[in-house]
Amino acid sequence: MDLSKMKNERKLYLCRWYFRAGFAFLPFLWCINAIWFFPEAFKRPEYEEQKPIKKYVILSAIGAIIWTIILVSWIVMFQTHRAEWGATADYMSFIIPTGVP
């Protein structure tokens, strides 16, 4: 979809929709929203709908960064301590590695 062919009201609607959908545990949408609308929010000449778009782009970027930190922290913690957690970690694992940890 080409944003340059859309009306400004439609851009704001789409940006808001992606931001709100990110709250459904879909941080990938926040990342897409921040990347996709960044030029529209910060590099285009001023227009009326640009201020709320900037707000949604900034909040989407912050949300995506926070989720990335949380997910990376969990992955590192789980991968380094899985063997110590015993059966609890096995219940959380989809694929259980064989062999001695």
Side-chain angles (χ1 to χ4, degrees), residues 9 25 29 31 35 38 51 57 66 68 72 76 81-82 87:
E9 297 84 20
F25 297 107
L29 284 179
C31 184
I35 292 169
F38 181 83
K51 188 174 179 180
V57 167
I66 289 171
T68 300
V72 168
V76 168
H81 298 290
R82 192 200 69 76

Side-chain angles (χ1 to χ4, degrees), residues 18-27 29-30 67:
Y18 275 127
F19 176 72
R20 289 179 181 168
F23 283 105
F25 297 107
L26 300 170
L29 284 179
W30 281 337
W67 266 101

Side-chain angles (χ1 to χ4, degrees), residues 36-90:
W36 199 17
F37 283 99
F38 181 83
E40 196 64 40
F42 295 103
K43 295 185 178 183
R44 301 279 188 262
E46 292 287 327
Y47 57 92
E48 185 179 337
E49 291 83 4
Q50 192 175 27
K51 188 174 179 180
I53 289 176
K54 281 183 184 180
K55 178 182 79 169
Y56 290 125
V57 167
I58 291 170
L59 292 175
S60 294
I62 291 170
I65 290 169
I66 289 171
W67 266 101
T68 300
I69 291 169
I70 290 169
L71 289 175
V72 168
S73 299
W74 167 249
I75 290 168
V76 168
M77 185 176 66
F78 185 77
Q79 293 295 322
T80 57
H81 298 290
R82 192 200 69 76
E84 298 170 14
W85 294 347
T88 304
D90 290 343

Side-chain angles (χ1 to χ4, degrees), residues 5 11-12 16 21 55 57 65 73 85-86 96 98:
K5 296 180 181 179
K11 292 176 194 176
L12 176 59
R16 184 183 306 126
K55 178 182 79 169
V57 167
I65 290 169
S73 299
W85 294 347
I96 301 172
T98 58

